[in-house]
Amino acid sequence: MTLITHKHIAMWSCPRSRSSVVTRAFEQLDECEIFVLPLYGAYIFKRPDANDVPDKELIMNDWGTDPQKVIQKITGELPEGKAFSFQKDNPLHVLPEFGTSWLKKLSNFFLLRDPREIILSYQKAMNGELPYYGVGIKELYQLFKTVEAVTGETPLVIHSDDVVKNPLNALQSLCTYLGIEFNLKMLSWQSGLQDSKFLKLVEYSSAHEPWFSTVLNSQHFLPYQEKKIDFPDNLMPILEECLPYYEKIL
């Protein structure tokens, strides 16, 4: 298997954008090394208000707190038997002091979801609360522009609705773009995450389970269901802040 561009693939998205199920698909490829939120430990180590992160000490210990060491790991040599890596990344975790030049070593693409759905899903996972920093769409746009500037290319953008509407077509197209071979194994997996990099987060704390509950219990991409969104008035200020950035990337 030969990669057309780089051997490290980074998927950037806001939480609640169906990024976990896309990662789960790539996790079925034996030749793929998976990194789940690789900069999470370094990010919470730098956050002054990180006391609200469940099991932060365990995460920092396992993920690492030195951003440069983490970056070297996710852009460097791969374990024996692995042809490429696939990273589920959150733009909020890329703090200014981490630098940006390393982004050139990645094949970056961006996964979008309607901010109305993101906000409502986020609120549900947070038991009715939203984090102080919002849902990350502004930061996603900022990172999009950074990747564009650093690489000199406009990165690929995929809407998660298209993925769940037609997983076969979406994953085939994505693999072609990334220069890797699509495999039908990407369309199904075992439930329970026993063979998944997500399992560690779920095992750390029950607080993490709502974030991965759907993929935890799934065995394939769930059928797309169009829903009428009854968006509450009290969340409109957050939506109005998110929409311009979403539309700029879209």
Side-chain angles (χ1 to χ4, degrees):
M1 178 178 296
T2 302
L3 284 175
I4 294 174
T5 51
H6 299 296
K7 61 184 177 183
H8 296 292
I9 298 164
M11 174 182 64
W12 299 97
S13 65
C14 298
R16 318 314 296 165
S17 296
R18 304 186 177 107
S19 57
S20 293
V21 72
V22 175
T23 306
R24 196 76 178 104
F26 276 86
E27 204 166 24
Q28 306 316 302
L29 301 176
D30 295 334
E31 65 273 24
C32 180
E33 177 74 0
I34 296 291
F35 295 106
V36 174
L37 305 176
L39 286 166
Y40 191 23
Y43 165 71
I44 61 176
F45 178 71
K46 295 287 186 180
R47 272 183 55 186
D49 61 339
N51 290 330
D52 64 339
V53 176
D55 298 288
K56 67 171 187 174
E57 296 296 334
L58 290 171
I59 293 169
M60 288 191 295
N61 182 63
D62 282 356
W63 266 247
T65 58
D66 184 332
Q68 297 312 313
K69 288 184 178 179
V70 175
I71 289 168
Q72 184 177 9
K73 181 178 180 180
I74 64 178
T75 61
E77 294 300 316
L78 290 161
E80 186 176 352
K82 300 296 183 180
F84 63 97
S85 74
F86 184 90
Q87 305 168 22
K88 168 186 159 71
D89 284 304
N90 185 334
L92 287 167
H93 296 170
V94 184
L95 299 177
E97 57 264 41
F98 295 174
T100 58
S101 62
W102 54 276
L103 293 167
K104 291 188 291 187
K105 299 179 181 180
L106 304 172
S107 290
N108 301 278
F109 76 94
F110 287 71
L111 184 70
L112 292 186
R113 189 180 185 184
D114 189 318
R116 297 167 185 83
E117 295 182 5
I118 289 178
I119 292 167
L120 294 178
S121 180
Y122 218 134
Q123 187 187 43
K124 181 180 179 181
M126 294 285 288
N127 293 318
E129 299 293 331
L130 286 173
Y132 76 95
Y133 48 76
V135 297
I137 292 181
K138 177 181 178 180
E139 289 78 7
L140 187 70
Y141 170 74
Q142 291 171 335
L143 187 68
F144 177 86
K145 298 303 291 183
T146 297
V147 168
E148 193 173 49
V150 167
T151 64
E153 299 177 355
T154 300
L156 175 70
V157 176
I158 296 176
H159 202 289
S160 67
D161 281 359
D162 295 330
V163 177
V164 293
K165 285 178 180 177
N166 193 333
L168 175 61
N169 182 66
L171 290 175
Q172 284 180 327
S173 298
L174 178 58
C175 287
T176 298
Y177 173 83
L178 295 171
I180 63 175
E181 185 178 347
F182 170 76
N183 192 308
L184 286 172
K185 293 196 301 183
M186 300 176 74
L187 297 176
S188 60
W189 46 83
Q190 293 183 349
S191 62
L193 300 179
Q194 294 305 311
D195 60 343
S196 174
K197 291 290 182 73
F198 290 107
L199 183 62
K200 186 178 290 184
L201 275 172
V202 175
E203 287 182 333
Y204 277 161
S205 172
S206 60
H208 289 109
E209 189 167 337
W211 297 93
F212 306 112
S213 60
T214 300
V215 73
L216 172 68
N217 298 306
S218 72
Q219 294 181 304
H220 50 73
F221 286 88
L222 300 179
Y224 177 77
Q225 294 182 333
E226 184 132 15
K227 299 177 182 177
K228 182 179 179 182
I229 300 175
D230 186 15
F231 201 82
D233 291 341
N234 66 305
L235 295 179
M236 282 303 298
I238 299 175
L239 177 61
E240 289 170 355
E241 182 180 344
C242 291
L243 275 174
Y245 297 106
Y246 169 74
E247 291 168 352
K248 286 178 182 178
I249 304 176
L250 189 64

